[in-house]
């Protein structure tokens, strides 16, 4: 058949399709809005970072290491013609307002002249860092000033030195929201940093160099690659501005991947909705299809005609949602500014619209195919006999429709996640969930058919009977609404339980404060301050850093070839922190060997998973190097550690006294009542200014806050799935409008008032919604329980009232939506429908 | 060669555990240009016979030949292509497409065949059946008689050689029915179209060249010649 005729026929079929178009749009627009919104946001963040990368980094190249940069590297940088270099030191330390004595953990950045080379800090009073800073002055973030009650000109103690606050930092390009950092920023000069005397043994300082390259140097990434090939970098890592904001870029990729799949779920439910609408619509077109067949249309031509119509409606529906979704990146910075680095401006992402339209139409057409395949079976003789047997189903067509359905979900998941394994897993999970819900729907229909209704009140009997009626749309409504409920309830359960766990009291005996960088000669003063402030369970352990050089007689490099993945690689190539002690804490359990049992060798006890990662066994010889001095040990015990106890624990523990002579610092922990934490911190920072205090509660609160904000985004997307489910329910109710109108007329003729009829319908929809919600919530409880038990290994009970409550909410929403969709039928006069 | 012929035509339908014989071996040959009426009481199998002769349904046994071509074993696609342009239909319940205007209903079979000047021809045909001023009306906006006249225009649009009519006046009042019948007969005669018409109304059947009476799925008797006196 010529395309023009096919197009004309599909176009004519569109007449009077306003209602259908509305439901297509409602079903697909929500899903495509979510898909385009998520993809557009992630793309927008990446594009903005790429466009503003130099400003975000402050230079062209950033080199950093946990130790001073190697002399060879510094010499090579000195020899670079025309490039500018600014030395940087980064460290987390305590800042104390000398006037009030209040202290706070800050992220100190000591910089040389010229910082930053690109972009600009916004200071108050206005000016550059070079102009404002001297060796006795610092610039502090405005939130630190607010927190400690500081003004410009006030005094701030950092380490053993005192500084004048010369300026407030109002804006720092590339800086993340304080929620995502350890503390507010403080800028100092390099000389000022040295005067703080923070560079003790075990201190965690990042030594860096920020470079501005001349235009002749070419692309910064290539320049960086050439440098790292030419010069031994040692521990140092080098990043060009193109790799700026790695955490944000990684987060954007994760958002695109995982939230993209949650968004896809809404679109898939939209597909289920479209399938239901198409099924109901084709049901009303059987007579017309019979006439078309009589006039000489082949089954294939009729199928194309209706598929063309579905394609057109799907394109319009998803285009509308996609267009709206493409504006999401412009709204996010306004409503959730803390999610993005400062100074990042997001742009409109028109290209994402194509993704939304593409996926929307793919899902809609694929999900419609099984329903559309019914047109193939309409026999032409139906124009003569209504009860004519349908033509035999075409097996190839049925299989192709099923294949297209599964294939489309897989392709869409692949497009969204860009990962084959994840796409396959998602497809499998969706198929399994839809399958379980479909079984539930079928069970419900059977139950409704089987249930004796004679003794039930009339309205309840009618509601149950309606569920058993052929074409009641139970399958689609239960699957869509059930899956929507499942997604939302699972997310809510996981988030609330996890948050509760994070913000609840610390485990008994767990430490609430950790103290880093304590030097051995400060121990007595430290113990005095803590005793005076009433700290409990004070525990102090020595801490040394060593590098693993040989395991089982093999060099660490050789071992890394075998165990070079993940933690194994980290352990074999980076400095390891370890302690030495006589007895293990109660949160350590020996699983093999015996502690300090070999008088012939120096002994080590390893955490069992760590031992596996580095390829060490009980009895393995192991060499650690401390400041260039190798010391040989033998592994004599393996331990299991309860990390969630919040105690001081190490992967490597040496026998007592083994490393007393090695350069080391002390690590301490204590349990302090929440209301006394600030006092203890302030007193300690005054007495031992180089010590960094980590407050576990505030970290847990931050993690909980970040978790709740991230969960909010997922839950909002999840809510889309429920919305699609409700739209679907309303769509099914509305498509049966003709039947409803007749029913209403009959009920009214029999003497039932309009309110009475509304109650009958409300009960029918409420039953449908209630069962869908109940099934969804039961599934969600099972998923959440499995997640806690097997992934997080928490004991977490799911509240018993989850499923009934979800069922009740879903029932109410379903009743409201169903009634709204039947409003027209309720208002039609009985005589109008009976006459027709 | 007959325009339409069936040999040993049978149709059985499942009815519970048994099969129900709707047609029990029909032999019939219809010449080109002939007007044959099929009569019989309800359940005698007349509509089933019409469906089988038109290739809308498949027989349980027997053969159907349309203009020298055996059609009972053709595929659905081949049957659909055969119907285009060669076979026309008029039904008791009109069977117009509700979302198409009168003109578009007539135009559709012509577009399917790809006839040049399809629109002009449809307009002319609708004028011929007296609906020249109702081109853009939808079926719901037309009376029963008008709808059936649109159906007549559609049936003759692609100049078929055989026309099948199933109780074409069954849903119309006597006066309108008579006018539609006159129109059908006139159009048929002018275009020399073979007409197979199913009716239970002897008045309608009286216009036919031949009347085939069915009873219980078998030909009971055949009458020849127009009964002009009754018409």
């Amino acid at each position: 058949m010529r395309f023009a005729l096919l197009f004309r026929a599909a176009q004519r079929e569109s007449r009077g399709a306003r209602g259908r178009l509305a439901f297509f749009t409602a079903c697909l627009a929500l899903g495509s809005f979510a898909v385009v919104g998520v993809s557009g946001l992630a793309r927008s963040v990446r594009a903005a970072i790429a466009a503003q990368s130099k400003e975000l980094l402050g230079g062209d190249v950033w080199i950093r290491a946990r130790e001073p940069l190697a002399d060879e590297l510094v010499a090579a940088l000195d020899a670079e013609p025309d490039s500018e270099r600014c030395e940087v030191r980064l460290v987390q330390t305590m800042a104390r307002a000398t006037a009030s004595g209040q202290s706070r953990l800050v992220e100190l950045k000591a910089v040389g002249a010229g910082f930053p080379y690109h972009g600009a800090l916004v200071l108050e009073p206005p000016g550059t860092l070079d102009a404002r800073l001297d060796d006795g002055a610092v610039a502090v973030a405005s939130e630190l000033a607010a927190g400690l009650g500081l003004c410009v000109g006030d005094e701030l103690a950092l380490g053993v030195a005192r500084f004048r606050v010369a300026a407030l930092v109002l804006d720092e390009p590339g800086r993340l929201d304080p929620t995502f950092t350890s503390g507010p920023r403080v800028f100092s000069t390099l000389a000022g940093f040295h005067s703080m005397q923070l560079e003790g043994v075990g201190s965690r300082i990042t030594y860096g160099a920020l470079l501005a390259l001349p235009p002749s140097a070419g692309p910064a990434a290539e320049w960086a690659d050439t440098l790292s090939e030419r010069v031994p970098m040692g521990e140092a890592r080098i990043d060009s501005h193109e790799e700026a904001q790695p955490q944000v870029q990684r987060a954007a990729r994760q958002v695109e991947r995982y939230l993209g799949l949650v968004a896809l779920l809404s679109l898939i439910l939209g597909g289920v909705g479209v399938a239901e609408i198409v099924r109901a619509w084709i049901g009303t077109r059987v007579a017309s299809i019979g006439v078309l067949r009589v006039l000489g249309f082949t089954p294939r031509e009729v199928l194309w005609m209706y598929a063309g119509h579905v394609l057109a409606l799907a394109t319009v529906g998803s285009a509308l949602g996609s267009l709206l979704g493409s504006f999401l990146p412009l709204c996010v910075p306004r409503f959730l500014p803390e999610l993005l680095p400062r100074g990042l401006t997001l742009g409109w992402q028109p290209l994402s619209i194509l993704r939304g339209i593409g996926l929307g139409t793919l899902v809609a057409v694929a999900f419609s195919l099984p329903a559309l395949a019914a047109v193939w079976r309409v026999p032409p003789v139906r124009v003569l006999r209504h009860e004519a047997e349908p033509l035999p189903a075409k097996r190839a067509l049925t299989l192709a429709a099923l294949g297209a359905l599964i294939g489309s979900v897989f392709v869409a998941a692949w497009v969204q996640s860009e990962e084959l394994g994840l796409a396959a897993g998602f497809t499998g999970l969706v198929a399994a969930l839809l399958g379980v819900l479909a079984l539930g729907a079928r069970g419900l229909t059977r139950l409704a058919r089987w249930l004796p209704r004679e003794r039930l009140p009339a309205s309840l009997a009618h509601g149950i009977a309606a569920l058993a009626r052929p074409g009641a749309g139970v399958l689609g409504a239960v699957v869509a609404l059930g899956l929507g409920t499942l997604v939302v309830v699972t997310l809510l359960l996981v988030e609330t339980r996890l948050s509760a766990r994070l913000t609840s009291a610390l485990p008994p005996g767990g430490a609430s404060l950790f103290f880093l960088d304590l030097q051995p000669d400060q121990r007595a003063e430290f113990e005095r301050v803590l005793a005076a402030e009433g700290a409990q369970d004070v525990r102090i352990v020595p801490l040394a850093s060593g590098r693993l050089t040989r395991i089982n007689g093999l060099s660490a490099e050789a071992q890394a070839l075998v165990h070079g993945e993940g933690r194994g690689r980290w352990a074999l190539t980076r400095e390891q922190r370890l302690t030495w002690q006589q007895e293990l804490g109660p949160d350590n359990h020996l699983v093999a060997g015996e502690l300090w049992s070999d008088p012939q060798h120096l002994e080590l006890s390893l955490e069992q998973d760590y031992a596996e990662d580095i390829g060490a066994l009980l009895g393995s010889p192991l060499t650690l190097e401390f400041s260039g001095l190798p010391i040989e040990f033998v592994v004599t015990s393996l331990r299991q550690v309860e990390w969630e106890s919040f105690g001081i624990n190490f992967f490597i523990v040496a026998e007592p006294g083994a490393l007393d002579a090695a350069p080391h610092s002390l690590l301490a922990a204590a349990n302090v009542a929440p209301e006394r934490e600030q006092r203890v911190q302030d007193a300690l920072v005054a007495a031992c200014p180089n010590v960094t205090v980590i407050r576990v509660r505030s970290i847990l609160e931050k993690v909980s806050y970040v978790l709740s904000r991230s969960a909010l985004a997922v839950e909002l997307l999840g809510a889309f799935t429920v919305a699609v489910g409700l739209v679907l329910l309303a769509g099914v109710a509305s498509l049966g409008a003709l039947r409803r109108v007749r029913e209403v007329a009959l009920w009214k003729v029999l003497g039932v008032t309009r309110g009475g009829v509304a109650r009958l319908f409300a009960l029918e929809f409420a039953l449908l919604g209630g069962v869908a919600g109940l099934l969804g919530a039961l599934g969600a409880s099972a998923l959440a329980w499995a997640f806690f038990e097997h992934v997080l290994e928490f004991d977490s009970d799911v509240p018993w009232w989850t499923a009934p409550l979800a069922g009740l909410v879903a029932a109410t929403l379903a009743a409201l939506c169903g009634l709204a969709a039947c409003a027209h039928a309720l208002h039609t006069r009985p005589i109008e429908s009976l006459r027709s | 060669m007959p325009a339409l012929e069936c040999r040993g035509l049978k149709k059985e339908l499942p009815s519970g555990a048994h099969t129900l014989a709707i047609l029990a071996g029909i032999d019939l040959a219809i010449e080109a240009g002939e007007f044959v009426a099929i009569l019989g009481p309800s359940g005698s199998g007349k509509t089933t016979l019409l469906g089988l002769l038109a290739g809308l349904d498949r027989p349980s046994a027997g053969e159907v030949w349309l203009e020298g071509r055996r059609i009972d074993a053709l595929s659905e696609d081949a049957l659909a292509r055969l119907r285009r342009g060669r076979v026309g239909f008029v039904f008791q319940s009109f069977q117009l497409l509700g979302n198409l205007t009168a003109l578009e209903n007539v135009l559709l079979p012509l577009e399917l065949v790809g006839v040049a000047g399809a629109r002009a021809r449809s307009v002319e045909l609708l004028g011929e059946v007296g609906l020249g001023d109702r081109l853009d009306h939808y079926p719901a906006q037309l009376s029963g008689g008008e709808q059936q006249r649109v159906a007549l225009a559609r049936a003759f649009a692609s100049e078929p050689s055989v026309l099948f009519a199933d109780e074409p006046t069954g849903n119309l009042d006597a006066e309108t029915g008579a006018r539609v019948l006159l129109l059908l007969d006139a159009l048929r005669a002018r275009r020399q179209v073979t007409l197979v018409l199913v009716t239970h109304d002897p008045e309608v059947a009286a216009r036919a060249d031949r009347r085939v009476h069915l009873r219980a799925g078998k030909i009971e008797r055949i009458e020849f010649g127009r009964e002009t006196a009754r018409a």
Side-chain angles (χ1 to χ4, degrees):
Chain A
M1 187 166 60
R2 287 160 315 177
F3 177 76
L5 175 59
L6 175 75
F7 180 75
R8 262 199 309 277
Q11 191 189 20
R12 287 169 185 160
E13 188 59 42
S14 304
R15 286 176 193 157
R18 248 182 315 177
R20 211 158 44 247
L21 179 63
F23 283 117
F24 256 73
T25 304
C27 279
L28 294 176
L30 285 168
S32 41
F33 174 88
V35 164
V36 172
V38 167
S39 148
L41 188 61
R43 277 166 178 274
S44 181
V45 168
R46 286 209 301 268
I49 287 175
Q52 303 158 44
S53 60
K54 288 185 179 182
E55 288 75 16
L56 293 170
L57 188 65
D60 295 314
V61 172
W62 168 232
I63 302 171
R64 66 191 189 281
R66 283 290 186 179
E67 59 191 24
L69 299 185
D71 294 341
E72 262 181 299
L73 178 58
V74 174
L77 294 176
D78 285 340
E80 278 298 322
D82 303 327
S83 72
E84 291 182 76
R85 189 169 94 239
C86 162
E87 295 291 322
V88 177
R89 301 285 180 272
L90 287 169
V91 70
Q92 291 173 23
T93 189
M94 305 308 292
R96 185 171 60 90
T98 50
S100 65
Q102 272 205 319
S103 60
R104 193 157 169 199
L105 183 67
V106 297
E107 288 191 354
L108 175 71
K109 192 169 192 172
V111 294
F115 180 88
Y117 293 121
H118 301 295
L121 296 171
V122 180
L123 302 181
E124 178 62 41
T128 61
L129 272 186
D130 286 345
R132 293 282 154 225
L133 288 188
D134 56 49
D135 296 343
V138 289
V140 303
S142 49
E143 64 265 24
L144 179 68
L148 295 183
L150 290 170
C151 295
V152 171
D154 286 353
E155 195 179 65
L156 187 72
L158 288 150
V160 297
R162 295 181 174 210
F163 297 86
R164 176 174 45 83
V165 175
L168 303 184
V169 183
L170 302 184
D171 198 10
E172 179 189 350
R175 181 78 174 148
L176 291 173
D177 185 83
T179 320
F180 298 94
T181 60
S182 311
R185 175 72 87 209
V186 173
F187 282 102
S188 77
T189 64
L190 289 170
F193 171 74
H194 290 306
S195 69
M196 297 172 201
Q197 296 182 20
L198 297 173
E199 295 173 276
V201 172
S203 56
R204 294 145 303 101
I205 296 167
T206 298
Y207 296 80
L210 188 68
L211 283 89
L213 302 177
S216 58
E222 284 176 23
W223 185 92
D225 286 346
T226 313
L227 182 76
S228 53
E229 282 165 17
R230 194 160 52 87
V231 183
M233 301 292 288
E235 288 253 324
R237 290 185 59 179
I238 182 164
D239 287 331
S240 63
H241 66 85
E242 290 93 333
E243 297 146 313
Q245 298 288 334
Q247 316 94 311
V248 180
Q249 296 225 39
R250 202 166 41 242
R253 269 195 296 275
Q254 300 286 358
V255 161
E256 195 169 23
R257 186 167 296 171
Y258 292 101
L259 284 192
L261 287 179
V262 179
L264 180 62
L265 215 49
S266 311
L267 198 57
I268 286 172
L269 284 190
V272 175
V274 164
E276 279 298 318
I277 293 164
V278 170
R279 196 181 307 281
W281 170 50
I282 295 291
T284 65
R285 307 302 296 162
V286 170
S288 293
I289 295 167
V291 174
L292 290 173
R293 298 278 286 108
V294 164
L295 292 177
F297 279 79
T298 63
R300 186 174 284 109
E301 288 164 348
V302 179
L303 181 68
W304 276 119
M305 192 184 118
Y306 281 88
H309 182 68
V310 166
L311 186 68
L313 291 181
T315 309
V316 174
S318 39
L320 276 172
S322 301
L323 186 66
L324 288 176
S326 70
F327 289 104
L328 196 67
L330 304 183
C331 306
V332 164
R334 186 161 298 176
F335 297 109
L336 296 166
E338 73 269 24
L339 288 183
L340 297 170
R342 290 203 185 144
L344 202 65
T345 315
L346 303 187
W348 185 46
Q349 291 295 310
L351 276 181
S352 296
I353 297 175
L354 294 179
R355 175 190 287 238
I357 296 176
L359 292 184
T361 45
L362 173 75
V363 167
V365 171
F367 274 72
S368 305
L369 277 180
L372 281 171
V375 306
W376 203 283
R377 303 191 62 196
V378 176
V381 74
R382 203 192 170 283
V383 294
L384 297 173
R385 265 191 299 122
H386 281 262
E387 70 284 2
E389 282 283 302
L391 295 174
K394 221 169 168 77
R395 196 177 161 77
L397 184 68
T398 312
L399 288 176
L402 191 69
L405 192 72
I406 296 169
S408 72
V409 173
F410 177 74
V411 168
W414 189 19
V415 169
Q416 288 293 82
S417 67
E418 294 176 5
E419 214 177 281
L420 276 176
L422 199 57
F426 178 83
T427 310
L429 184 68
V430 167
L433 290 176
L434 291 182
V436 168
L437 287 165
L439 276 179
R442 181 164 289 188
L444 173 69
T445 311
R446 289 210 173 157
L447 186 70
R449 209 166 283 163
W450 167 82
L451 213 64
R453 300 189 286 266
E454 296 80 19
R455 293 189 180 176
L456 295 174
S459 49
L460 189 61
H462 169 82
I464 292 173
L467 296 178
R469 179 171 43 204
V474 172
L475 184 73
V478 166
V479 166
L481 200 55
L483 196 56
T485 313
L486 186 140
V487 171
V488 173
V489 175
T490 306
L491 293 171
L492 278 173
L493 279 176
V494 168
E495 196 243 324
T496 51
R497 311 306 283 168
L498 208 53
S499 271
R501 175 98 187 182
L502 283 172
T503 50
S504 65
L506 292 168
S512 61
L513 295 181
F514 282 86
F515 307 91
L516 315 180
D517 302 339
L518 186 66
Q519 299 304 309
D521 58 359
Q522 293 175 307
R523 181 171 186 146
E525 178 68 1
F526 173 80
E527 285 176 326
R528 186 191 64 72
V529 171
L530 259 65
E533 295 297 335
Q536 306 280 313
D537 306 324
V538 179
R539 192 170 165 226
I540 304 173
V541 296
L543 176 73
S545 293
R547 188 182 288 276
L548 278 166
T549 52
R550 293 188 81 77
I551 300 165
N552 294 326
L554 285 172
S555 70
E557 291 81 23
Q559 196 81 347
L561 293 176
V562 187
H563 300 274
E565 292 293 317
R567 195 166 59 174
R569 175 160 193 77
W570 162 78
L572 292 164
T573 56
R574 300 274 161 179
E575 285 221 320
Q576 302 296 295
R577 288 165 193 264
L578 68 155
T579 191
W580 49 100
Q581 55 195 192
Q582 179 63 43
E583 288 187 2
L584 299 174
D587 42 9
N588 282 254
H589 308 285
L590 278 189
V591 290
E594 208 175 320
L595 203 61
W596 323 144
S597 54
D598 183 352
Q600 308 298 322
H601 300 96
L602 284 176
E603 296 172 60
L604 283 184
S605 175
L606 299 183
E607 196 265 345
Q608 61 174 358
D609 293 335
Y610 178 84
E612 196 179 317
D613 288 338
I614 62 169
L617 303 165
L618 206 60
S620 287
L622 206 142
T623 307
L624 280 156
E625 205 174 87
F626 299 91
S627 305
L629 183 72
I631 300 181
E632 289 185 3
F633 295 89
V634 172
V635 178
T636 54
S637 64
L638 298 176
R639 291 167 292 126
Q640 194 178 39
V641 176
E642 291 172 29
W643 296 105
E644 63 274 25
S645 69
F646 289 101
I648 298 181
N649 280 302
F650 291 85
F651 290 121
I652 311 174
V653 176
E655 68 171 83
L659 295 164
D660 281 347
H664 65 273
S665 64
L666 302 176
L667 173 64
N671 198 350
V672 175
E675 65 278 8
R676 295 186 65 85
E677 278 185 4
Q678 184 66 42
R679 261 190 69 167
V680 171
Q681 175 180 302
D682 293 345
L684 192 78
V685 172
C688 308
N690 61 305
V691 172
T692 304
V693 183
I694 305 291
R695 293 163 73 166
V696 177
R697 283 191 184 89
S698 83
I699 291 177
L700 288 182
E701 276 163 18
K702 272 190 177 182
V703 171
S704 174
Y705 176 75
V706 172
L707 182 78
S708 69
R709 295 313 294 251
S710 328
L712 181 70
V714 188
E715 280 157 15
L716 275 177
L717 283 175
F720 272 57
T721 55
V722 174
V724 173
L726 290 171
V727 165
L728 195 156
L729 187 85
V732 169
S734 167
L735 283 166
L738 192 64
R739 173 170 62 78
R740 298 268 170 210
V741 169
R742 288 201 189 114
E743 271 180 25
V744 172
L746 283 173
W747 283 114
K748 285 182 180 172
V749 168
L750 291 172
V752 183
T753 61
R754 194 189 295 173
V757 181
R759 268 199 301 281
L760 291 177
F761 286 172
L763 203 74
E764 176 188 337
F765 292 121
L767 275 173
L768 201 60
V771 171
L774 205 64
L775 280 174
L778 284 175
S781 303
L783 276 182
W785 177 84
F787 178 70
F788 281 118
E789 284 286 319
H790 299 294
V791 180
L792 298 184
E793 297 180 2
F794 281 1
D795 289 328
S796 183
D797 52 328
V798 175
W800 65 266
W801 43 261
T802 307
L805 181 67
L808 197 66
V809 172
T812 312
L813 290 174
L816 290 175
C817 282
L819 281 182
C822 290
H824 171 69
L826 284 168
H827 285 90
T828 307
R829 287 175 182 281
I831 191 67
E832 290 172 31
S833 68
L834 292 177
R835 192 185 285 147
S836 69
Chain B
M1 180 183 64
L4 190 62
E5 188 178 6
C6 66
R7 300 170 194 159
L9 201 60
K10 288 185 181 175
K11 181 71 182 177
E12 291 168 348
L13 289 176
S15 170
H18 307 282
T19 52
L20 190 65
I22 309 291
L23 290 179
I26 302 283
D27 295 296
L28 185 65
I30 298 168
E31 297 303 323
E34 196 180 2
F35 175 3
V36 174
I38 301 171
L39 293 108
S42 292
S44 59
K46 48 190 189 300
T47 298
T48 304
L49 178 59
L50 184 89
L52 290 172
L53 291 175
L56 299 180
D57 202 0
R58 290 182 188 281
S60 306
E63 297 172 3
V64 181
W65 294 75
L66 178 69
E67 297 182 326
R69 186 176 178 192
R70 187 172 170 187
I71 65 166
D72 54 88
L74 289 180
S75 71
E76 282 299 319
D77 283 356
L79 280 170
R81 288 192 196 97
L82 184 82
R83 283 195 289 273
R84 292 179 191 174
R86 292 172 72 178
V87 180
F89 293 91
V90 181
F91 302 100
Q92 180 178 2
S93 51
F94 325 133
Q95 301 287 11
L96 297 177
L97 293 168
N99 51 346
L100 268 57
T101 62
L103 179 63
E104 286 167 345
N105 263 291
V106 180
L107 202 54
L108 191 62
L110 293 174
E111 287 177 332
L112 198 56
V113 182
V115 175
R119 188 182 164 83
R121 192 148 136 200
S122 304
V123 172
E124 185 190 326
L125 261 168
L126 279 167
E128 211 173 326
V129 297
L131 292 172
D133 56 345
R134 298 296 189 103
L135 302 182
D136 295 325
H137 283 61
Y138 286 95
Q141 297 169 315
L142 299 171
S143 70
E146 286 170 332
Q147 286 190 50
Q148 195 60 304
R149 280 189 278 157
V150 176
L152 282 181
R154 181 179 69 182
F156 283 100
S158 55
E159 299 193 336
S161 50
V162 183
L163 186 74
F164 294 93
D166 179 35
E167 306 265 19
T169 58
N171 272 3
L172 304 173
D173 60 65
E175 193 183 334
T176 314
R179 276 168 53 197
V180 165
L181 197 64
L182 269 173
L183 195 56
L184 171 63
D185 204 15
L187 286 167
R188 180 199 74 81
R190 211 174 302 151
R191 290 169 170 76
Q192 288 297 300
V193 175
T194 308
L195 174 62
V196 182
L197 182 146
V198 163
T199 182
H200 61 268
D201 183 350
E203 297 270 345
V204 174
R207 293 184 162 275
D209 301 320
R210 193 154 40 127
R211 286 168 295 286
V212 178
H213 290 265
L214 292 188
R215 184 171 291 274
K218 290 181 181 164
I219 296 179
E220 189 186 39
R221 67 178 193 281
I222 299 177
E223 296 167 346
F224 292 89
R226 288 194 168 209
E227 297 179 356
T228 44
R230 288 177 73 177

